[in-house]
Amino acid sequence: MFEQRIYNFSAGPSMLPVPVLQKCADEMLNYQGSGMSVMEMSHRSKVYDEIIVQAEALFREVMQIPDNYKVLFLQGGASTQFAMVPMNLLRTGKADYVVTGQFSKKAYQEAKKIGSDIHLAGSTESTNFDHVPTQEELDLRPDADYVHICLNNTIFGTKWHYIPDTGNVPLVADMSSCILSEPFDVSKFGLIYAGAQKNIAPAGLTVVIIREDLAGFTLPGTPTMLDYAVQIKNSSMYNTPPCYPIYVCKLVLEWIKELGGLEAMKERNQKKAAILYNVLDESKLFRAVAAPVDRSMMNVTFRTGNEELDAKFVKESVAAGFSNLKGHRSVGGMRASIYNAMPLEGVEKLAVFMKDFEARNL
Amino acid sequence: MFEQRIYNFSAGPSMLPVPVLQKCADEMLNYQGSGMSVMEMSHRSKVYDEIIVQAEALFREVMQIPDNYKVLFLQGGASTQFAMVPMNLLRTGKADYVVTGQFSKKAYQEAKKIGSDIHLAGSTESTNFDHVPTQEELDLRPDADYVHICLNNTIFGTKWHYIPDTGNVPLVADMSSCILSEPFDVSKFGLIYAGAQKNIAPAGLTVVIIREDLAGFTLPGTPTMLDYAVQIKNSSMYNTPPCYPIYVCKLVLEWIKELGGLEAMKERNQKKAAILYNVLDESKLFRAVAAPVDRSMMNVTFRTGNEELDAKFVKESVAAGFSNLKGHRSVGGMRASIYNAMPLEGVEKLAVFMKDFEARNL
């Protein structure tokens, strides 16, 4: 039982900024004099319309999204996008997938269920996804309908430190675990999607940013709800959208803007990640899992090399008020997910705890 | 600007019980000593697992769901079920649809995009859906894969007062706007689905209750996320579920149970509906839209017959602290949606307002 809030290093759903949660609590029974909770509002009402319109405007402003891109607020998570992308973009049936972790592999497998010519354009599975391929290692086809990548690999703690050059072929990116963590040049992508539960909002919202010329086609039998053109035409309101997560998304974007936008987020996140990677690089007990050049700024994976010691670390960390530091079973060891809402203080305290654990166990 | 909460007659999303909202506010920053908000919890954590397991157990208890049915917590709303149902249940390609309103019509149209032999087994469109067909009026085929109905028609204010006899053919029902409003014999249905935003929880959650033998088949190209068998196998956690609405669902079910379960809900709802229908039946100004025998207990549709007077009523009702009484554009007039969370007091006050309006405008 914790009287106070703890440092939650969960890979997702994960921490939300305290001022956002405070506002959610304060406005729960009566949103700004509307006499109702945001959870109770008709999605067609004027008061709710202001919320969703502002959420989109803030997304555009914070991410500097060009005018020829649409922002959609959908449901179903990235896993639904794994099917929705090929169902809408596979005009000729050819697509290239780069597999750099569990989620990009799932996306690749889902596309193979749907398309006839899905090509593995790169994979780092042989080294258990401890790095990301270089541009030279990619086997891209100039006539593919799109190239799919996952920009940050939550489980393995790696990220693409460059945006691959795909020529005229649209680049589709799963940004679930790095969106809003730093500035990205949206114009280099054809389509970006992200589950909300890491850097945007609570689970149940999926944000899609799509270059408008890519919408308008679907394979036969595609559900209406999985048609980007339908969602665009109806401004994400073909049916009732996930209203409350969209409201929280708006609050999170206001918080990001107030802190200085994505440049400030990047600086903050670099600082947090550097603290942990420095501890790891100087440690005689712990070592980082990901290749140094491909290290994620959001998910820091590490281990001692001794499973019992790893388990001891995780157990003691819980008692010390740090939660969810256990690594994913496919990597083992530990993982500290340090998304936007994780305060610097939480990372600093974890670093102290790690050094102390090392001193006691070396 | 309202200092106090108002009576919100929205068709959905709609009112939630005040004790539920109060609990949401109280637990927002620290759920039961976990040190975190429910919105921040890993869906794989022990603390969250207790929430989703309890939500399902309560659903089973409150609705008396037989053991050979699975309860799923999904995303995408009823509109996604319009596609998911045929993609999973159309083993031979034959299905019968009864169209009694806008949503059952959408379900029918979506099925026609997917199946080759989708049959219109009944329709009340010729009288603008002011009633529901009798058993004798249904043209059901004994070899259909399933029969689809919408049990309560939100827009038109009608409901099925009987469960149609479909023999050995599984009955699939959209219960979005009447689930949890009264007891239903689940064993008479093959599959029940409901968007949460009326009687269950905030928008972003879809509850599916499926007889387990109906899962296991999918049409080629069906997205993994739209495969009931996958969702069953993973206990609604193939990917991150809509965690927060599931938590609110649990709180709502606790509230229902505390008030006496679905029998008590039915009594309460009958009483509320009777108050409004009595006003309408005695009125010289207003008249009810739906056929008396098919009147909904959740959505009361009415009009004066004079569009200007209808508009005046709506305008004055807003000023008096009643919101969302405007009828859907396809019916016109007014609609009072009085789901479980609408207190008796709200309906009584609306009745007084209606009588007063009549006295001033007759």
Side-chain angles (χ1 to χ4, degrees):
Chain A
M1 293 285 287
F2 298 97
E3 294 279 327
Q4 307 232 305
R5 286 176 51 80
I6 60 172
Y7 297 110
N8 174 12
F9 292 90
S10 170
S14 43
M15 288 186 88
L16 285 162
V18 171
V20 167
L21 292 172
Q22 193 58 61
K23 203 153 203 173
C24 288
D26 293 346
E27 298 184 331
M28 184 56 79
L29 277 91
N30 188 350
Y31 171 80
Q32 299 188 1
S34 64
M36 59 180 90
S37 172
V38 174
M39 296 201 286
E40 302 174 299
M41 289 174 184
S42 166
H43 56 299
R44 310 276 181 204
S45 64
K46 196 167 162 258
V47 61
Y48 187 73
D49 194 60
E50 278 171 17
I51 293 172
I52 192 170
V53 164
Q54 220 183 326
E56 184 188 333
L58 281 163
F59 234 115
R60 291 188 168 279
E61 182 185 345
V62 165
M63 280 190 74
Q64 297 184 31
I65 298 170
D67 287 345
N68 62 325
Y69 286 73
K70 299 290 184 185
V71 178
L72 298 173
F73 297 112
L74 307 180
Q75 294 186 59
S79 296
T80 298
Q81 294 305 308
F82 296 168
M84 195 162 172
V85 165
M87 284 176 138
N88 283 261
L89 266 50
L90 267 185
R91 290 172 193 247
T92 74
K94 282 181 99 148
D96 291 352
Y97 276 71
V98 186
V99 173
T100 55
Q102 184 174 299
F103 290 103
S104 48
K105 189 175 176 181
K106 278 193 171 182
Y108 168 61
Q109 287 167 337
E110 189 77 2
K112 283 209 292 183
K113 280 178 64 178
I114 294 163
S116 56
D117 188 3
I118 307 300
H119 169 62
L120 188 62
S123 170
T124 54
E125 190 164 13
S126 63
T127 56
N128 201 30
F129 303 120
D130 66 350
H131 71 290
V132 162
T134 60
Q135 176 80 46
E136 292 67 39
E137 288 169 334
L138 300 178
D139 177 31
L140 301 175
R141 300 178 298 180
D143 58 345
D145 290 324
Y146 63 91
V147 177
H148 181 281
I149 64 170
C150 177
L151 211 62
N152 184 82
N153 301 286
T154 323
I155 292 176
F156 303 92
T158 63
K159 78 172 265 200
W160 291 73
H161 281 268
Y162 69 102
I163 296 173
D165 180 2
T166 58
N168 289 324
V169 179
L171 179 61
V172 174
D174 179 353
M175 281 202 197
S176 295
S177 52
C178 61
I179 195 165
L180 301 180
S181 67
E182 60 178 308
F184 291 106
D185 181 351
V186 174
S187 73
K188 296 214 168 148
F189 300 87
L191 190 154
I192 291 166
Y193 63 86
Q197 65 271 19
K198 296 155 201 287
N199 265 339
I200 304 176
L205 169 65
T206 316
V207 174
V208 172
I209 302 165
I210 179 173
R211 214 178 65 207
E212 56 191 6
D213 62 286
L214 293 176
F217 168 86
T218 53
L219 294 174
T222 299
T224 305
M225 280 289 289
L226 300 191
D227 181 339
Y228 291 123
V230 168
Q231 298 289 358
I232 289 170
K233 193 182 157 205
N234 291 280
S235 304
S236 307
M237 293 240 206
Y238 175 75
N239 73 341
T240 315
C243 300
Y244 199 73
I246 293 169
Y247 155 73
V248 181
C249 163
K250 174 183 142 331
L251 298 180
V252 167
L253 289 164
E254 284 168 350
W255 174 79
I256 289 174
K257 201 180 150 183
E258 206 176 295
L259 287 184
L262 295 188
E263 282 296 352
M265 278 297 131
K266 182 180 185 178
E267 202 177 307
R268 205 178 123 103
N269 288 325
Q270 278 179 329
K271 197 169 170 186
K272 290 187 299 185
I275 289 171
L276 295 184
Y277 285 121
N278 284 346
V279 170
L280 295 173
D281 288 341
E282 288 170 7
S283 172
K284 292 189 172 62
L285 182 69
F286 301 108
R287 56 193 165 84
V289 172
V293 69
D294 295 327
R295 285 172 174 175
S296 167
M297 193 163 63
M298 295 282 102
N299 314 94
V300 179
T301 47
F302 58 103
R303 57 183 161 226
T304 64
N306 176 333
E307 283 184 26
E308 276 175 42
L309 208 52
D310 287 351
K312 189 180 174 198
F313 177 89
V314 170
K315 197 177 167 191
E316 290 186 12
S317 73
V318 172
F322 306 106
S323 83
N324 291 299
L325 280 166
K326 192 178 176 188
H328 190 273
R329 63 186 178 281
S330 57
V331 184
M334 283 74 73
R335 172 177 50 175
S337 294
I338 48 174
Y339 299 114
N340 285 353
M342 170 60 68
L344 179 63
E345 186 193 58
V347 172
E348 285 170 342
K349 288 190 174 167
L350 176 60
V352 170
F353 176 80
M354 287 169 72
K355 286 188 213 166
D356 179 62
F357 184 89
E358 174 162 347
R360 287 184 285 110
N361 290 280
L362 200 60
Chain B
M1 291 285 287
F2 299 96
E3 293 279 327
Q4 306 232 306
R5 284 175 52 80
I6 59 171
Y7 297 110
N8 173 12
F9 292 90
S10 170
S14 43
M15 288 187 87
L16 286 162
V18 171
V20 167
L21 292 173
Q22 192 59 61
K23 204 154 204 174
C24 288
D26 292 346
E27 297 183 334
M28 184 56 79
L29 278 91
N30 188 349
Y31 172 79
Q32 299 188 1
S34 64
M36 58 181 90
S37 173
V38 174
M39 296 202 286
E40 301 174 300
M41 290 175 182
S42 165
H43 57 298
R44 312 275 180 204
S45 65
K46 196 167 162 258
V47 61
Y48 187 75
D49 194 59
E50 279 170 16
I51 292 173
I52 191 169
V53 164
Q54 220 183 325
E56 184 188 333
L58 281 164
F59 234 115
R60 290 187 168 281
E61 182 185 347
V62 165
M63 280 191 74
Q64 298 185 30
I65 298 170
D67 287 346
N68 62 326
Y69 286 73
K70 299 291 184 186
V71 178
L72 299 174
F73 297 112
L74 308 180
Q75 295 186 58
S79 296
T80 298
Q81 294 306 308
F82 296 168
M84 194 162 172
V85 165
M87 283 177 139
N88 284 260
L89 266 51
L90 268 184
R91 289 171 194 247
T92 74
K94 281 180 100 149
D96 291 350
Y97 276 71
V98 187
V99 173
T100 55
Q102 183 174 299
F103 290 104
S104 48
K105 190 175 176 181
K106 277 193 171 181
Y108 169 60
Q109 287 166 336
E110 188 77 2
K112 283 209 292 183
K113 280 178 65 177
I114 294 164
S116 56
D117 188 3
I118 307 300
H119 169 62
L120 188 62
S123 170
T124 55
E125 190 165 13
S126 62
T127 57
N128 201 30
F129 303 119
D130 66 350
H131 70 290
V132 162
T134 61
Q135 176 79 46
E136 293 67 39
E137 288 169 333
L138 300 177
D139 177 31
L140 302 175
R141 300 178 298 180
D143 58 346
D145 291 325
Y146 62 90
V147 177
H148 181 281
I149 64 170
C150 178
L151 211 62
N152 184 83
N153 301 287
T154 323
I155 291 175
F156 303 92
T158 64
K159 77 172 266 201
W160 291 72
H161 280 269
Y162 68 103
I163 296 174
D165 180 3
T166 58
N168 288 324
V169 179
L171 179 61
V172 175
D174 178 352
M175 281 202 198
S176 295
S177 53
C178 61
I179 194 164
L180 302 180
S181 66
E182 59 178 309
F184 291 106
D185 182 351
V186 174
S187 73
K188 297 214 167 148
F189 298 87
L191 190 153
I192 290 166
Y193 63 86
Q197 65 271 18
K198 296 156 200 287
N199 265 339
I200 305 174
L205 169 66
T206 315
V207 174
V208 171
I209 302 165
I210 179 171
R211 213 177 67 206
E212 56 192 6
D213 62 287
L214 292 177
F217 168 85
T218 53
L219 294 174
T222 298
T224 305
M225 280 290 288
L226 300 191
D227 181 339
Y228 290 124
V230 168
Q231 298 290 358
I232 289 170
K233 193 181 159 205
N234 291 279
S235 305
S236 308
M237 294 239 205
Y238 175 75
N239 73 340
T240 316
C243 300
Y244 198 74
I246 293 169
Y247 155 73
V248 181
C249 165
K250 173 183 147 320
L251 297 180
V252 167
L253 289 163
E254 285 168 350
W255 174 80
I256 290 174
K257 202 180 151 185
E258 207 176 294
L259 288 184
L262 294 189
E263 282 296 352
M265 277 297 131
K266 182 181 184 178
E267 203 177 307
R268 203 178 125 103
N269 288 325
Q270 279 178 328
K271 197 169 169 183
K272 289 188 298 185
I275 290 172
L276 295 185
Y277 286 121
N278 284 344
V279 170
L280 294 174
D281 288 341
E282 288 171 7
S283 172
K284 291 189 173 62
L285 183 69
F286 301 107
R287 57 193 166 84
V289 172
V293 70
D294 295 327
R295 284 173 175 176
S296 167
M297 193 164 62
M298 295 283 102
N299 314 94
V300 179
T301 47
F302 58 103
R303 58 181 159 225
T304 64
N306 175 333
E307 283 185 27
E308 274 175 42
L309 209 52
D310 287 350
K312 189 181 175 197
F313 178 89
V314 170
K315 198 178 166 189
E316 289 186 12
S317 73
V318 172
F322 305 107
S323 83
N324 291 301
L325 280 167
K326 193 179 176 188
H328 190 273
R329 63 186 177 282
S330 57
V331 184
M334 284 74 73
R335 172 177 52 175
S337 294
I338 48 175
Y339 299 114
N340 285 353
M342 170 61 67
L344 179 63
E345 186 192 56
V347 172
E348 286 170 342
K349 288 192 174 167
L350 176 60
V352 169
F353 176 79
M354 287 168 73
K355 286 187 213 168
D356 179 61
F357 184 88
E358 174 162 346
R360 289 185 284 110
N361 291 279
L362 201 61

